Amino acid sequence: MRLSKLGMTPDLWWMTLSMGLWGLGFGLYGILWPLYVEHLGGSAVVVGLLSTTAGFATAFVVFPGGWLADRVDRRKILIWGAAVAVPVPLMFAWAPHWQWLLPGVLLYFGSAFSTPAMQAVIITEAKSEHLSTAYNVVMSVFGAGMVIGPTIGGYLATHDSYTLVFVISGILYAISTLAILPIKSHPPGPKRPHRSRFSWTPQQRPRLFQWMIFSAGLAMVQGLAWPFVVPYWKSVGHLSMETIGLLGSTGIFFGTISGPIWGKIGERVGIPRSLGYGMGLVTMGFMALIWAPSSVGWGLFSGLLRGSGEGSRGLAGVAVGRTIRRQEAGTAYGLFNLVTELAGAIAPLPGGLLFAHWPYAPLVVAAFCTGIIAWWLINGLPGRPTPAPPILSP
């Protein structure tokens, strides 16, 4: 794929570099996070509680962050959003018990107030004919940094300590923040006069709210299972920490390289159908994981399927960008992220309860529901009836 076909600009490339470095820092401990919680005395229910806390922290800041992104320089929001999260890995490293992780979780996910500003910059910077591809390049490159992170983190945690893992992560976060500085100023666009106070209602913006509701449902389904894949490998598959890191890297790798490809597919066959194909792959990946939890080969195959399918989820963000004016992109993405994060925040806690009773349960429920979503997407645009066939005259 030629770079000219990606729709990228210099600012988007700087954002891509920053996201890649941040993903590497997060990847050092992100996949191993449930095991670290367990190391500090937490259970599967605690993992779900922390995931729910993270989701609610994100939800409470993204809408104010989106509102702010339509009123002040978006570059400043990006810098502050990254800077406030830089010390979080050190807070994790020095936590003596799992309860001490809560302040770091709140601060890290509270920094998500900058996410709508980032999405708004992508929407305004990307060349319109390649918006799907450019959006997925920037948003999925976070996973590129995470590809090698879990393997390195698993090795360091096994042969040295979690403390070293978190210190290196903090350094990478700081470098990632510096990569944002060359981005030019991105003031919000001019406001439209006489805007209706009802302009953010479902009646005024049906397509925006349709995509928000759909994405919220998908986030809830995925949130039931994703936080418990690693505990599943550990408790059911009895895999080592290094093996789990390798399997996690596999899924992230395929999720990263598939993101731009899904962007191109979305431009050709449409976003709903592309998302449906992606969720079909995720469903098959869950089924492979359920079938052979202790098999490394099946785990790698599952990572290929789930990662490749997950790469399509960025298309929902592209769909939102096509329903709004660019000068109000911050508010729109803030509202979109608010709804999806709230939905995703609800799921991990019941997922933890399901896991505690039967470790297979979160995966089984997620596979079933994701398969239904995939069928729905492939057979028609969400919420829009399939056109009736033409009536043939005799």
Side-chain angles (χ1 to χ4, degrees), residues 347-370:
L349 196 53
L353 295 173
L354 288 172
F355 184 90
H357 286 283
W358 186 42
Y360 288 86
L363 300 180
V364 171
V365 174
F368 177 75
C369 295
T370 306

Side-chain angles (χ1 to χ4, degrees), residues 25-391:
F26 182 78
L28 290 177
Y29 66 88
I31 294 295
L32 304 175
W33 176 255
L35 303 183
Y36 186 60
V37 174
E38 180 183 303
H39 173 72
L40 295 182
S43 62
V45 176
V46 171
V47 173
L49 173 64
L50 291 173
S51 297
T52 296
T53 301
F56 278 117
T58 304
F60 288 145
V61 299
V62 286
F63 185 68
W67 180 88
L68 195 64
D70 287 339
R71 287 159 177 81
V72 302
D73 190 343
R74 291 164 178 169
R75 174 180 177 271
K76 293 180 180 179
I77 298 176
L78 293 178
I79 294 173
W80 280 107
V84 298
V86 169
V88 168
L90 297 181
M91 298 172 66
F92 292 155
W94 296 331
H97 197 264
W98 72 261
Q99 288 95 331
W100 290 78
L101 297 173
L102 283 168
V105 169
L106 289 171
L107 182 59
Y108 181 88
F109 289 94
S111 71
F113 69 85
S114 63
T115 300
M118 178 178 62
Q119 293 167 308
V121 170
I122 299 173
I123 292 296
T124 55
E125 277 283 299
K127 300 175 182 178
S128 58
E129 65 272 21
H130 300 300
L131 174 59
S132 295
T133 304
Y135 186 94
N136 270 21
V137 167
V138 179
M139 298 302 288
S140 66
V141 79
F142 179 88
M146 287 189 66
V147 169
I148 60 173
T151 302
I152 297 174
Y155 177 84
L156 293 176
T158 301
H159 296 279
D160 195 288
S161 66
Y162 281 108
T163 300
L164 179 61
V165 172
F166 287 117
V167 168
I168 295 175
S169 175
I171 294 172
L172 288 169
Y173 284 177
I175 299 173
S176 172
T177 303
L178 294 176
I180 301 175
L181 298 181
I183 296 176
K184 68 177 183 292
S185 175
H186 279 271
K191 298 289 181 188
R192 285 173 60 98
H194 310 302
R195 289 176 60 190
S196 169
R197 63 189 181 94
F198 300 108
S199 60
W200 291 101
T201 63
Q203 292 78 13
Q204 292 289 331
R205 302 169 185 265
R207 296 297 293 154
L208 171 62
F209 277 82
Q210 184 184 89
W211 277 107
M212 284 197 305
I213 293 171
F214 162 75
S215 298
L218 183 59
M220 186 175 294
V221 170
Q222 298 303 302
L224 278 173
W226 285 102
F228 306 102
V229 170
V230 170
Y232 173 81
W233 271 324
K234 185 72 182 291
S235 63
V236 179
H238 305 291
L239 301 178
S240 70
M241 192 179 301
E242 291 179 74
T243 301
I244 290 173
L246 173 63
L247 294 178
S249 295
T250 302
I252 296 166
F253 171 76
F254 285 105
T256 301
I257 63 173
S258 68
I261 297 173
W262 282 115
K264 284 298 180 185
I265 295 174
E267 292 169 3
R268 290 179 178 272
V269 305
I271 289 177
R273 183 168 293 179
S274 300
L275 262 171
Y277 294 146
M279 292 304 100
L281 292 176
V282 172
T283 302
M284 291 188 288
F286 278 137
M287 293 173 66
L289 204 57
I290 294 167
W291 177 258
S294 60
S295 169
V296 175
W298 278 98
L300 292 171
F301 183 58
S302 171
L304 185 155
L305 293 172
R306 288 182 296 113
S308 299
E310 273 291 302
S312 69
R313 288 187 65 182
L315 292 173
V318 178
V320 169
R322 289 178 173 172
T323 67
I324 57 174
R325 297 186 295 269
R326 295 190 173 192
Q327 61 265 33
E328 60 187 16
T331 303
Y333 278 114
L335 186 61
F336 172 75
N337 290 328
L338 168 65
V339 173
T340 55
E341 291 296 337
L342 280 176
I346 296 171
L349 196 53
L353 295 173
L354 288 172
F355 184 90
H357 286 283
W358 186 42
Y360 288 86
L363 300 180
V364 171
V365 174
F368 177 75
C369 295
T370 306
I372 292 176
I373 292 172
W375 177 86
W376 180 38
L377 286 166
I378 292 172
N379 286 276
L381 191 64
R384 179 177 293 178
T386 304
I391 299 176

